[in-house]
Every structure is written in structure tokens, then in C-alpha cells.
Amino acid sequence: VDAFQAWCGPCKTVVGLFRKIRNEVGSDLLHFAVAEVDSIDALATYRGRSEPVFLFYAVSENTATV
């Protein structure tokens, strides 16, 4: 998950990089999402930063882990 702020233009450009990687490795292995931290209370910790924040999740057969 790419957690970004709306005012951070360079943070938005990372989406294109994720799409390129996903196309190279295949969509079955990599899923990505973007989340604007200004509008999601659970991500308030990441507000006010000028660098992108990436949250990685791994999923096993029975549980999801952070």
C-alpha cells in the first residue's frame, strides 16, 4: 500500500513504478493499492511527511500479517 498525501506530487508518481513492476512479475504475485493519508483516520500517523510510505502485507493460507 502506497500511503501518500495529496500535496506530495512525487509521491503520486510511484504508482506508475508499481504498475510497471506488477506487469513484469505478474498480477497473481503482486497487488498494490494507494491510500491518501489525509482522508483515512487510521493512517493519521503518516501525515505531515514529505516522503512516500510503503506498507507491505504478506498473506498466508489462513491469516494476513503486516
Side-chain angles (χ1 to χ4, degrees):
V1 178
D2 175 16
F4 72 97
Q5 295 190 108
W7 57 265
C8 183
C11 298
K12 293 179 185 180
T13 61
V14 173
V15 173
L17 176 61
F18 277 128
R19 283 192 181 123
K20 179 180 176 185
I21 293 170
R22 182 176 159 205
N23 289 337
E24 290 176 5
V25 300
S27 61
D28 292 339
L29 298 175
L30 178 66
H31 300 277
F32 70 91
V34 294
E36 187 178 336
V37 300
D38 298 322
S39 60
I40 302 171
D41 291 336
L43 298 175
T45 304
Y46 304 108
R47 292 179 188 153
R49 298 183 183 205
S50 60
E51 71 274 353
V53 174
F54 304 103
L55 307 171
F56 294 90
Y57 298 88
V59 178
S60 70
E61 289 185 24
N62 298 321
T63 61
T65 58
V66 177

